[in-house]
Amino acid sequence: MVKNKPPAIQRSISELSSRISSISPSKRIIQEREESNNQNGVDEPWYVKYAPKKLEEVAIHKKKLQDVCQILESMLKSSTYGIDDGPRILLMTGPSGCSKSTTTYKLAEELVPKYRGSGFQMLRSDRKGSHVVEFVETDNFQEFLVEAKYLRGPNLSVVLIEDLPNIFHTDTRHAFQKSLLEWLYSPEVGSPPLVICITECSLGNENSQGFGVDYNFTAESVLGREILAHPKLARIKFNPINTTLMKKHLRSKCQENRKLLIQNGKWNSKDLVIDQLASTTGDIRSAIANLQYWATSSVEVPLDTREESLTYFHTIGKILHGSRECDDNEMINQLTFNSKSHLANDNFRLGLLENYSLVNGGQVPLSNVCEIVDSLSQSDSMGMNSESIEFALRKVRNQLGSVTKTHTSNKANFPREWKIRQLQLEFQVDSEDYTNVDFYKYHQVRTKRDLQLYYTHYGPLIRSRRNYKRNSLNYYIENLNPNAQSVVTSQNMDVLQVDPNIDHLERIGGPIKSVEEQQELVTNDDSENWRKNSLDQMKQKRDHKLSQLLALHTENEAEEEMEDFDEPIVDSEAEDDDDSSLYDLLSQRHPEINESLSDSDLEDL
Amino acid sequence: MSLWVDKYRPRSLDTLSHNGHLTSVLQSISQQPRDLPHLLLYGPNGSGKKTRCMALLESIFGQGVYKMKIDVRQFVTPSNRKLDLNVVSSAYHLEITPSDMGINDRIVIQQLLKEVAQMEQVDFQESQDGLAHRYKCVVINEADSLTRDAQAALRRTMEKYSRNVRLIMLCDSVSSIISPIKSRCFMVRCPAPPNDETVNILNYVASKEKVQLESDEVLKVIAQESEGNLRKALLMLESMALCNEMQLKKSTPIIKPDWESVISKLATKIQKEKSVGCLVECRSFLYDLLAHCIPARTILQELTFALLRNSSNEKAKIAILQTSSIFDERLSLGNKPIYHLEGFVARAMCSM
């Protein structure tokens, strides 16, 4: 049984939503039609007609197949024997038309019978005999997973999730992620193997900042970091089908339709067409459809393979390392045409900045690097438009193109910008907290800039020293007689005033060190979660402290009003020696001396 | 009082230190509080603009100006977004800082001034000439970061409401203040204290706080390092004294703000190791400086000066200054500072 669906040219919101309407009944209709069509076999697309019947026919690299096979088998094993080792979810990602789901179906066909226990089968009639149970969008995902849990023993099946719930809706996406996490963390053992296929693509949405599901449909944005990092999840990345494999398959299709090709007078030019198709696309579904189109039409038609959509890192790699297939100019033309959604985002330039040093193992002449960074800087000052980005692309490629190549592959880095933004936000919350303390406890107004430059460093440094002193001083005071106690206390007000619960004793924002680069994609969702955890907590802490401070402040004020003309605590008449007698009034000042009316009264008038 | 900077901050006009001439100007202004002009105080960071401004207000209104509170005010932008802003105020004045409000400063300033102006101030306090002054002061910190838009809006407001409102603007440099505003203000230049003045002040504070000084040398070093920034000098003195058991010798290490030391380390690194690897390493540090909200401009400036200090070649110096000015311009045009900072570092490496 082969999954039938229209060729996914590019997964877009509209397509996904239209698929919501094409529900399971229509699937069955297609199957029925498939059977009836099999006799004449003309109306049917070739990629359905010649879909692999056996595992060996699937267009997939042998090594990759082995990997998938191994993981799936271990999952089936742990399900049958009720042991908990090996992964619980197999995630397959890659562009469309690279045999992800076909592999799953064919492998399930081979492997499931081996492990399926004998006994009464409780499958629904439409799923009877199948080795794969697929999630259909109309189902409730949570319920589907709960039901799927029981597909074991005699009913053992591979649970496949290819149609996703409407993950563009934030709440639905979070619910989806949550139920997957529950599946991963569930203490129950022996659940059936869960396979998720995600066709990665970028969605054309140009006016967006950051990296999220709305414009990058990738495993990172759909599933989120927590799921991907889970040890019970195995991820296999599929690549577009390579040229050799593609040619082999296309040739066999031609062979099978020899008669038709000869009839249309195309038999002789078939190799040329196959070469062309194989070199332009890695999508087998689309390649076969193109071949069919070319073969069945009686006149000469141009070949038009679907545009390739590339992943973020792939696009960056293309710019940095160049492409072997075509020259730079053409490649950039293609990129600006095809990968708009990556390029329109500032993330792309940041990615270039982050990764140019990886080219040639870091062995790029400094003068070239200088030009590269300069061009990025120029491009940034030109603003966010396609011209400025194209300028940067061309300049970077031009500079790197002249560098002699030795091929080294390094893992690319994701820009740190979003991490920095998060740190800045945290810093801001922290420094607001600091301002509150300085205002309510010490009655000092701080401007932001002074905070950033001086107080966030010196303030905590000085107070942590005082706090250290305070601890020993407190001990000393306890062992004095009451009279001496008050003298020492008044002399050391500065020190004793420090309260480790209120004052900041560490550099705001932590000591300055280097920020490490990161290799994972950070999606908006992830950073949102992150923010939720840390920033909200910090804000709560700040607000809590603020209320404490306010209470303290009003208390102090009340006291001050009571003892209106009392001696100030800090007394500094002691030495009044030198020319700078300007200061003598200073520390004696009392917040309010001759005010008959309080401020609030004044304001009421 | 918490820090020595605050503890020894002069609070009235007659206790102001350094630049006595300036103090007498302010005193003469305060003699005639009814004619208080709009003021524009300018001078480098840490030269005592705010202190002077508060002292002036104190001499006009009395101690009440130091009794401040923070209100959260709400403003509505034309696009109907609500904007919360903390406004520090006393019964006699209020303070705003444009950097808190970002690009909406025009709306905030207009609404705030209008609000203040519509309320006539009644003052029961007895003033020297027996007449109450009926205005409230609005202090604008960092006035040089006001957008052009806000400045343009200000000039009309300044005239319209001058009956009830007086503006006191504080800024580092007047170069970004538009001339109509300059012409409506009484400009007061607050110069940074000369080094020997700084040493005197430090000496006074040290003796008050019973810091044992081996000699004045260490104070001279601090004054030198602080580059006329009294705030920085006092903070340095205090942290150094506390870290060394209140005993300062000539050899006591200077505690500079950590970001300054990071930048000077970066500068030596750039000069020693001109390679792509070094550039990549520099990026991590630049990123963390940005994460600590150090303004990109300040980083660029500090880095330029550090490079100039270390360099002996005149030609290289000129090249560094030139690139620095180019990237300074780009910083203000672009929106992601990291490109420009790294671009500057790369160019500097090449030109040396």
Side-chain angles (χ1 to χ4, degrees), chain A residues 346 356 380 446 453 458 466 494 507 510 513 583 589, chain B residues 6-7 11 63 204 238 255 258-259 288 292 336 340 342:
Chain A
D346 205 17
Y356 70 79
D380 182 54
R446 306 279 188 226
L453 296 185
Y458 283 119
R466 290 229 171 103
D494 277 352
R507 167 80 161 106
K513 49 185 193 310
Y583 289 103
R589 227 213 92 261
Chain B
D6 307 322
K7 193 169 166 182
R11 289 182 153 237
Q63 289 289 333
Y204 171 79
E238 184 172 10
I255 300 179
D258 49 357
W259 57 272
D288 205 34
H292 281 80
K336 294 252 168 19
H340 313 296
E342 185 161 336

PDB file of all heavy atoms in Angstrom, chain A residues 346 356 380 446 453 458 466 494 507 510 513 583 589, chain B residues 6-7 11 63 204 238 255 258-259 288 292 336 340 342:
ATOM      1  N   ASP A 346      17.079  38.958   8.471  1.00  0.00           N
ATOM      2  CA  ASP A 346      18.404  39.424   8.863  1.00  0.00           C
ATOM      3  C   ASP A 346      19.239  38.293   9.424  1.00  0.00           C
ATOM      4  O   ASP A 346      20.457  38.356   9.478  1.00  0.00           O
ATOM      5  CB  ASP A 346      18.277  40.543   9.895  1.00  0.00           C
ATOM      6  CG  ASP A 346      19.490  41.436   9.885  1.00  0.00           C
ATOM      7  OD1 ASP A 346      20.234  41.371   8.891  1.00  0.00           O
ATOM      8  OD2 ASP A 346      19.712  42.165  10.844  1.00  0.00           O
ATOM      9  N   TYR A 356      31.626  32.715   8.339  1.00  0.00           N
ATOM     10  CA  TYR A 356      32.629  32.885   7.283  1.00  0.00           C
ATOM     11  C   TYR A 356      33.979  32.309   7.699  1.00  0.00           C
ATOM     12  O   TYR A 356      34.771  31.882   6.875  1.00  0.00           O
ATOM     13  CB  TYR A 356      32.761  34.353   6.875  1.00  0.00           C
ATOM     14  CG  TYR A 356      33.403  35.228   7.920  1.00  0.00           C
ATOM     15  CD1 TYR A 356      34.783  35.226   8.089  1.00  0.00           C
ATOM     16  CD2 TYR A 356      32.653  36.042   8.743  1.00  0.00           C
ATOM     17  CE1 TYR A 356      35.383  35.999   9.058  1.00  0.00           C
ATOM     18  CE2 TYR A 356      33.237  36.817   9.709  1.00  0.00           C
ATOM     19  CZ  TYR A 356      34.606  36.798   9.873  1.00  0.00           C
ATOM     20  OH  TYR A 356      35.189  37.557  10.838  1.00  0.00           O
ATOM     21  N   ASP A 380      24.234  46.227   6.137  1.00  0.00           N
ATOM     22  CA  ASP A 380      23.360  46.511   7.276  1.00  0.00           C
ATOM     23  C   ASP A 380      23.006  47.995   7.316  1.00  0.00           C
ATOM     24  O   ASP A 380      21.872  48.363   7.631  1.00  0.00           O
ATOM     25  CB  ASP A 380      24.052  46.125   8.588  1.00  0.00           C
ATOM     26  CG  ASP A 380      23.155  46.362   9.791  1.00  0.00           C
ATOM     27  OD1 ASP A 380      22.023  45.848   9.782  1.00  0.00           O
ATOM     28  OD2 ASP A 380      23.567  47.056  10.716  1.00  0.00           O
ATOM     29  N   ARG A 446      19.050  57.028  39.434  1.00  0.00           N
ATOM     30  CA  ARG A 446      20.107  56.644  38.503  1.00  0.00           C
ATOM     31  C   ARG A 446      19.582  56.731  37.085  1.00  0.00           C
ATOM     32  O   ARG A 446      18.476  56.268  36.813  1.00  0.00           O
ATOM     33  CB  ARG A 446      20.536  55.202  38.744  1.00  0.00           C
ATOM     34  CG  ARG A 446      20.934  54.902  40.159  1.00  0.00           C
ATOM     35  CD  ARG A 446      22.333  55.350  40.404  1.00  0.00           C
ATOM     36  NE  ARG A 446      22.773  54.889  41.701  1.00  0.00           N
ATOM     37  CZ  ARG A 446      23.406  55.674  42.575  1.00  0.00           C
ATOM     38  NH1 ARG A 446      23.646  56.924  42.278  1.00  0.00           N
ATOM     39  NH2 ARG A 446      23.798  55.201  43.725  1.00  0.00           N
ATOM     40  N   LEU A 453      27.176  51.895  32.560  1.00  0.00           N
ATOM     41  CA  LEU A 453      28.618  52.077  32.499  1.00  0.00           C
ATOM     42  C   LEU A 453      29.308  51.906  33.847  1.00  0.00           C
ATOM     43  O   LEU A 453      30.414  51.372  33.906  1.00  0.00           O
ATOM     44  CB  LEU A 453      28.954  53.456  31.932  1.00  0.00           C
ATOM     45  CG  LEU A 453      28.516  53.704  30.495  1.00  0.00           C
ATOM     46  CD1 LEU A 453      29.015  55.041  30.011  1.00  0.00           C
ATOM     47  CD2 LEU A 453      29.028  52.616  29.572  1.00  0.00           C
ATOM     48  N   TYR A 458      30.423  48.777  39.770  1.00  0.00           N
ATOM     49  CA  TYR A 458      30.973  49.204  41.063  1.00  0.00           C
ATOM     50  C   TYR A 458      30.020  48.953  42.229  1.00  0.00           C
ATOM     51  O   TYR A 458      30.452  48.552  43.299  1.00  0.00           O
ATOM     52  CB  TYR A 458      31.328  50.685  41.021  1.00  0.00           C
ATOM     53  CG  TYR A 458      32.604  50.979  40.290  1.00  0.00           C
ATOM     54  CD1 TYR A 458      32.627  51.784  39.169  1.00  0.00           C
ATOM     55  CD2 TYR A 458      33.805  50.436  40.729  1.00  0.00           C
ATOM     56  CE1 TYR A 458      33.808  52.052  38.500  1.00  0.00           C
ATOM     57  CE2 TYR A 458      34.988  50.696  40.066  1.00  0.00           C
ATOM     58  CZ  TYR A 458      34.986  51.506  38.947  1.00  0.00           C
ATOM     59  OH  TYR A 458      36.147  51.769  38.295  1.00  0.00           O
ATOM     60  N   ARG A 466      31.330  45.275  51.531  1.00  0.00           N
ATOM     61  CA  ARG A 466      30.734  45.737  52.785  1.00  0.00           C
ATOM     62  C   ARG A 466      30.010  44.602  53.491  1.00  0.00           C
ATOM     63  O   ARG A 466      30.065  44.490  54.711  1.00  0.00           O
ATOM     64  CB  ARG A 466      29.738  46.855  52.495  1.00  0.00           C
ATOM     65  CG  ARG A 466      30.389  48.128  52.048  1.00  0.00           C
ATOM     66  CD  ARG A 466      29.826  49.291  52.841  1.00  0.00           C
ATOM     67  NE  ARG A 466      30.600  50.486  52.560  1.00  0.00           N
ATOM     68  CZ  ARG A 466      30.178  51.460  51.754  1.00  0.00           C
ATOM     69  NH1 ARG A 466      28.990  51.355  51.176  1.00  0.00           N
ATOM     70  NH2 ARG A 466      30.917  52.521  51.558  1.00  0.00           N
ATOM     71  N   ASP A 494      27.366  52.698  57.192  1.00  0.00           N
ATOM     72  CA  ASP A 494      27.560  52.296  55.794  1.00  0.00           C
ATOM     73  C   ASP A 494      27.605  50.791  55.651  1.00  0.00           C
ATOM     74  O   ASP A 494      27.004  50.208  54.755  1.00  0.00           O
ATOM     75  CB  ASP A 494      28.885  52.854  55.279  1.00  0.00           C
ATOM     76  CG  ASP A 494      28.710  54.280  54.820  1.00  0.00           C
ATOM     77  OD1 ASP A 494      27.551  54.715  54.784  1.00  0.00           O
ATOM     78  OD2 ASP A 494      29.724  54.922  54.509  1.00  0.00           O
ATOM     79  N   ARG A 507      27.954  41.348  40.039  1.00  0.00           N
ATOM     80  CA  ARG A 507      27.897  42.148  38.822  1.00  0.00           C
ATOM     81  C   ARG A 507      26.578  41.895  38.105  1.00  0.00           C
ATOM     82  O   ARG A 507      26.227  40.735  37.855  1.00  0.00           O
ATOM     83  CB  ARG A 507      29.057  41.748  37.909  1.00  0.00           C
ATOM     84  CG  ARG A 507      28.968  42.267  36.475  1.00  0.00           C
ATOM     85  CD  ARG A 507      29.412  43.710  36.415  1.00  0.00           C
ATOM     86  NE  ARG A 507      29.782  44.171  35.096  1.00  0.00           N
ATOM     87  CZ  ARG A 507      29.029  44.993  34.356  1.00  0.00           C
ATOM     88  NH1 ARG A 507      27.835  45.336  34.763  1.00  0.00           N
ATOM     89  NH2 ARG A 507      29.470  45.451  33.215  1.00  0.00           N
ATOM     90  N   GLY A 510      26.177  39.347  35.295  1.00  0.00           N
ATOM     91  CA  GLY A 510      27.304  38.415  35.366  1.00  0.00           C
ATOM     92  C   GLY A 510      28.573  39.040  34.836  1.00  0.00           C
ATOM     93  O   GLY A 510      28.530  40.058  34.162  1.00  0.00           O
ATOM     94  N   LYS A 513      32.396  37.912  29.896  1.00  0.00           N
ATOM     95  CA  LYS A 513      33.254  36.866  29.350  1.00  0.00           C
ATOM     96  C   LYS A 513      32.860  36.701  27.885  1.00  0.00           C
ATOM     97  O   LYS A 513      32.144  37.524  27.347  1.00  0.00           O
ATOM     98  CB  LYS A 513      33.043  35.578  30.138  1.00  0.00           C
ATOM     99  CG  LYS A 513      31.571  35.239  30.307  1.00  0.00           C
ATOM    100  CD  LYS A 513      31.393  34.046  31.171  1.00  0.00           C
ATOM    101  CE  LYS A 513      29.973  33.515  31.082  1.00  0.00           C
ATOM    102  NZ  LYS A 513      28.909  34.496  31.271  1.00  0.00           N
ATOM    103  N   TYR A 583      32.273  70.985  52.136  1.00  0.00           N
ATOM    104  CA  TYR A 583      31.535  69.754  52.379  1.00  0.00           C
ATOM    105  C   TYR A 583      30.902  69.663  53.745  1.00  0.00           C
ATOM    106  O   TYR A 583      30.214  68.700  54.027  1.00  0.00           O
ATOM    107  CB  TYR A 583      32.475  68.561  52.207  1.00  0.00           C
ATOM    108  CG  TYR A 583      32.852  68.341  50.779  1.00  0.00           C
ATOM    109  CD1 TYR A 583      34.090  68.728  50.307  1.00  0.00           C
ATOM    110  CD2 TYR A 583      31.968  67.736  49.901  1.00  0.00           C
ATOM    111  CE1 TYR A 583      34.438  68.531  49.005  1.00  0.00           C
ATOM    112  CE2 TYR A 583      32.311  67.538  48.589  1.00  0.00           C
ATOM    113  CZ  TYR A 583      33.552  67.948  48.141  1.00  0.00           C
ATOM    114  OH  TYR A 583      33.894  67.744  46.855  1.00  0.00           O
ATOM    115  N   ARG A 589      22.908  66.653  56.380  1.00  0.00           N
ATOM    116  CA  ARG A 589      21.593  66.987  55.857  1.00  0.00           C
ATOM    117  C   ARG A 589      20.545  65.953  56.241  1.00  0.00           C
ATOM    118  O   ARG A 589      20.788  64.757  56.199  1.00  0.00           O
ATOM    119  CB  ARG A 589      21.676  67.069  54.338  1.00  0.00           C
ATOM    120  CG  ARG A 589      21.031  68.288  53.777  1.00  0.00           C
ATOM    121  CD  ARG A 589      20.448  67.986  52.445  1.00  0.00           C
ATOM    122  NE  ARG A 589      19.065  67.584  52.600  1.00  0.00           N
ATOM    123  CZ  ARG A 589      18.684  66.341  52.603  1.00  0.00           C
ATOM    124  NH1 ARG A 589      19.555  65.379  52.478  1.00  0.00           N
ATOM    125  NH2 ARG A 589      17.399  66.048  52.717  1.00  0.00           N
TER     126      ARG A 589
ATOM    127  N   ASP B   6      27.397  59.148  46.541  1.00  0.00           N
ATOM    128  CA  ASP B   6      26.143  59.770  46.957  1.00  0.00           C
ATOM    129  C   ASP B   6      26.302  60.481  48.289  1.00  0.00           C
ATOM    130  O   ASP B   6      25.753  61.544  48.517  1.00  0.00           O
ATOM    131  CB  ASP B   6      25.054  58.707  47.082  1.00  0.00           C
ATOM    132  CG  ASP B   6      24.937  57.886  45.822  1.00  0.00           C
ATOM    133  OD1 ASP B   6      25.065  58.478  44.739  1.00  0.00           O
ATOM    134  OD2 ASP B   6      24.749  56.672  45.924  1.00  0.00           O
ATOM    135  N   LYS B   7      27.084  59.851  49.150  1.00  0.00           N
ATOM    136  CA  LYS B   7      27.247  60.370  50.505  1.00  0.00           C
ATOM    137  C   LYS B   7      27.884  61.757  50.487  1.00  0.00           C
ATOM    138  O   LYS B   7      27.503  62.630  51.260  1.00  0.00           O
ATOM    139  CB  LYS B   7      28.127  59.396  51.269  1.00  0.00           C
ATOM    140  CG  LYS B   7      28.151  59.591  52.756  1.00  0.00           C
ATOM    141  CD  LYS B   7      28.838  58.380  53.372  1.00  0.00           C
ATOM    142  CE  LYS B   7      29.205  58.624  54.816  1.00  0.00           C
ATOM    143  NZ  LYS B   7      29.919  57.443  55.356  1.00  0.00           N
ATOM    144  N   ARG B  11      24.768  69.053  48.162  1.00  0.00           N
ATOM    145  CA  ARG B  11      23.317  69.130  48.008  1.00  0.00           C
ATOM    146  C   ARG B  11      22.798  70.552  47.948  1.00  0.00           C
ATOM    147  O   ARG B  11      21.619  70.773  47.764  1.00  0.00           O
ATOM    148  CB  ARG B  11      22.633  68.368  49.130  1.00  0.00           C
ATOM    149  CG  ARG B  11      22.812  66.879  48.971  1.00  0.00           C
ATOM    150  CD  ARG B  11      22.107  66.147  50.048  1.00  0.00           C
ATOM    151  NE  ARG B  11      21.739  64.818  49.552  1.00  0.00           N
ATOM    152  CZ  ARG B  11      20.496  64.372  49.541  1.00  0.00           C
ATOM    153  NH1 ARG B  11      19.522  65.137  49.961  1.00  0.00           N
ATOM    154  NH2 ARG B  11      20.236  63.173  49.111  1.00  0.00           N
ATOM    155  N   GLN B  63      14.485  72.067  50.571  1.00  0.00           N
ATOM    156  CA  GLN B  63      14.852  70.653  50.670  1.00  0.00           C
ATOM    157  C   GLN B  63      13.862  69.708  50.009  1.00  0.00           C
ATOM    158  O   GLN B  63      14.180  68.563  49.737  1.00  0.00           O
ATOM    159  CB  GLN B  63      14.992  70.274  52.150  1.00  0.00           C
ATOM    160  CG  GLN B  63      16.206  70.862  52.821  1.00  0.00           C
ATOM    161  CD  GLN B  63      17.476  70.218  52.327  1.00  0.00           C
ATOM    162  OE1 GLN B  63      17.467  69.085  51.901  1.00  0.00           O
ATOM    163  NE2 GLN B  63      18.572  70.952  52.369  1.00  0.00           N
ATOM    164  N   TYR B 204      39.762  64.621  50.399  1.00  0.00           N
ATOM    165  CA  TYR B 204      38.781  64.968  51.414  1.00  0.00           C
ATOM    166  C   TYR B 204      37.945  63.738  51.798  1.00  0.00           C
ATOM    167  O   TYR B 204      37.786  63.421  52.971  1.00  0.00           O
ATOM    168  CB  TYR B 204      37.877  66.081  50.890  1.00  0.00           C
ATOM    169  CG  TYR B 204      36.710  66.362  51.771  1.00  0.00           C
ATOM    170  CD1 TYR B 204      36.880  67.127  52.924  1.00  0.00           C
ATOM    171  CD2 TYR B 204      35.448  65.855  51.474  1.00  0.00           C
ATOM    172  CE1 TYR B 204      35.818  67.367  53.757  1.00  0.00           C
ATOM    173  CE2 TYR B 204      34.384  66.100  52.310  1.00  0.00           C
ATOM    174  CZ  TYR B 204      34.568  66.859  53.445  1.00  0.00           C
ATOM    175  OH  TYR B 204      33.523  67.105  54.279  1.00  0.00           O
ATOM    176  N   GLU B 238      36.431  54.205  46.223  1.00  0.00           N
ATOM    177  CA  GLU B 238      35.730  53.426  47.227  1.00  0.00           C
ATOM    178  C   GLU B 238      35.985  51.939  47.056  1.00  0.00           C
ATOM    179  O   GLU B 238      36.276  51.229  48.012  1.00  0.00           O
ATOM    180  CB  GLU B 238      34.221  53.707  47.163  1.00  0.00           C
ATOM    181  CG  GLU B 238      33.481  52.977  48.267  1.00  0.00           C
ATOM    182  CD  GLU B 238      32.026  53.365  48.363  1.00  0.00           C
ATOM    183  OE1 GLU B 238      31.544  54.059  47.448  1.00  0.00           O
ATOM    184  OE2 GLU B 238      31.383  52.961  49.340  1.00  0.00           O
ATOM    185  N   ILE B 255      41.106  49.733  40.044  1.00  0.00           N
ATOM    186  CA  ILE B 255      39.941  48.940  39.635  1.00  0.00           C
ATOM    187  C   ILE B 255      39.150  49.753  38.618  1.00  0.00           C
ATOM    188  O   ILE B 255      38.428  50.684  38.974  1.00  0.00           O
ATOM    189  CB  ILE B 255      39.056  48.573  40.834  1.00  0.00           C
ATOM    190  CG1 ILE B 255      39.877  47.745  41.823  1.00  0.00           C
ATOM    191  CG2 ILE B 255      37.840  47.796  40.376  1.00  0.00           C
ATOM    192  CD1 ILE B 255      39.132  47.345  43.058  1.00  0.00           C
ATOM    193  N   ASP B 258      34.771  46.986  34.587  1.00  0.00           N
ATOM    194  CA  ASP B 258      35.212  45.741  33.945  1.00  0.00           C
ATOM    195  C   ASP B 258      35.149  45.809  32.427  1.00  0.00           C
ATOM    196  O   ASP B 258      36.012  45.275  31.751  1.00  0.00           O
ATOM    197  CB  ASP B 258      34.401  44.550  34.464  1.00  0.00           C
ATOM    198  CG  ASP B 258      32.922  44.795  34.431  1.00  0.00           C
ATOM    199  OD1 ASP B 258      32.517  45.923  34.052  1.00  0.00           O
ATOM    200  OD2 ASP B 258      32.156  43.884  34.762  1.00  0.00           O
ATOM    201  N   TRP B 259      34.154  46.539  31.903  1.00  0.00           N
ATOM    202  CA  TRP B 259      34.074  46.573  30.449  1.00  0.00           C
ATOM    203  C   TRP B 259      35.242  47.330  29.847  1.00  0.00           C
ATOM    204  O   TRP B 259      35.733  46.995  28.779  1.00  0.00           O
ATOM    205  CB  TRP B 259      32.747  47.159  29.988  1.00  0.00           C
ATOM    206  CG  TRP B 259      32.437  48.525  30.488  1.00  0.00           C
ATOM    207  CD1 TRP B 259      31.803  48.838  31.649  1.00  0.00           C
ATOM    208  CD2 TRP B 259      32.753  49.762  29.869  1.00  0.00           C
ATOM    209  NE1 TRP B 259      31.714  50.194  31.779  1.00  0.00           N
ATOM    210  CE2 TRP B 259      32.272  50.794  30.704  1.00  0.00           C
ATOM    211  CE3 TRP B 259      33.374  50.104  28.669  1.00  0.00           C
ATOM    212  CZ2 TRP B 259      32.402  52.128  30.393  1.00  0.00           C
ATOM    213  CZ3 TRP B 259      33.501  51.452  28.359  1.00  0.00           C
ATOM    214  CH2 TRP B 259      33.035  52.441  29.216  1.00  0.00           C
ATOM    215  N   ASP B 288      29.378  39.824  24.218  1.00  0.00           N
ATOM    216  CA  ASP B 288      29.027  39.882  25.643  1.00  0.00           C
ATOM    217  C   ASP B 288      28.978  41.312  26.151  1.00  0.00           C
ATOM    218  O   ASP B 288      28.192  41.628  27.037  1.00  0.00           O
ATOM    219  CB  ASP B 288      29.989  39.049  26.489  1.00  0.00           C
ATOM    220  CG  ASP B 288      29.324  38.613  27.788  1.00  0.00           C
ATOM    221  OD1 ASP B 288      28.108  38.364  27.754  1.00  0.00           O
ATOM    222  OD2 ASP B 288      29.981  38.542  28.826  1.00  0.00           O
ATOM    223  N   HIS B 292      25.714  43.093  27.920  1.00  0.00           N
ATOM    224  CA  HIS B 292      25.681  43.875  29.150  1.00  0.00           C
ATOM    225  C   HIS B 292      25.203  45.297  28.900  1.00  0.00           C
ATOM    226  O   HIS B 292      25.411  46.183  29.733  1.00  0.00           O
ATOM    227  CB  HIS B 292      27.064  43.902  29.800  1.00  0.00           C
ATOM    228  CG  HIS B 292      27.373  42.648  30.548  1.00  0.00           C
ATOM    229  ND1 HIS B 292      27.791  41.509  29.915  1.00  0.00           N
ATOM    230  CD2 HIS B 292      27.293  42.331  31.855  1.00  0.00           C
ATOM    231  CE1 HIS B 292      27.969  40.570  30.810  1.00  0.00           C
ATOM    232  NE2 HIS B 292      27.668  41.032  31.992  1.00  0.00           N
ATOM    233  N   LYS B 336      22.113  46.481  13.464  1.00  0.00           N
ATOM    234  CA  LYS B 336      22.747  45.421  14.257  1.00  0.00           C
ATOM    235  C   LYS B 336      24.213  45.805  14.475  1.00  0.00           C
ATOM    236  O   LYS B 336      25.007  45.728  13.543  1.00  0.00           O
ATOM    237  CB  LYS B 336      22.664  44.082  13.520  1.00  0.00           C
ATOM    238  CG  LYS B 336      21.250  43.550  13.368  1.00  0.00           C
ATOM    239  CD  LYS B 336      21.039  42.373  14.258  1.00  0.00           C
ATOM    240  CE  LYS B 336      19.603  41.956  14.396  1.00  0.00           C
ATOM    241  NZ  LYS B 336      18.637  42.384  13.429  1.00  0.00           N
ATOM    242  N   HIS B 340      29.223  46.141  12.528  1.00  0.00           N
ATOM    243  CA  HIS B 340      30.075  47.313  12.425  1.00  0.00           C
ATOM    244  C   HIS B 340      31.252  47.231  13.381  1.00  0.00           C
ATOM    245  O   HIS B 340      32.360  47.620  13.044  1.00  0.00           O
ATOM    246  CB  HIS B 340      29.244  48.561  12.678  1.00  0.00           C
ATOM    247  CG  HIS B 340      27.958  48.552  11.897  1.00  0.00           C
ATOM    248  ND1 HIS B 340      27.938  48.578  10.536  1.00  0.00           N
ATOM    249  CD2 HIS B 340      26.671  48.430  12.295  1.00  0.00           C
ATOM    250  CE1 HIS B 340      26.679  48.507  10.120  1.00  0.00           C
ATOM    251  NE2 HIS B 340      25.899  48.411  11.161  1.00  0.00           N
ATOM    252  N   GLU B 342      32.627  44.446  14.440  1.00  0.00           N
ATOM    253  CA  GLU B 342      33.565  43.474  13.899  1.00  0.00           C
ATOM    254  C   GLU B 342      34.259  44.035  12.662  1.00  0.00           C
ATOM    255  O   GLU B 342      35.453  43.815  12.452  1.00  0.00           O
ATOM    256  CB  GLU B 342      32.852  42.167  13.553  1.00  0.00           C
ATOM    257  CG  GLU B 342      33.826  41.115  13.112  1.00  0.00           C
ATOM    258  CD  GLU B 342      33.270  39.706  13.197  1.00  0.00           C
ATOM    259  OE1 GLU B 342      32.351  39.483  13.992  1.00  0.00           O
ATOM    260  OE2 GLU B 342      33.758  38.849  12.463  1.00  0.00           O
TER     261      GLU B 342
END
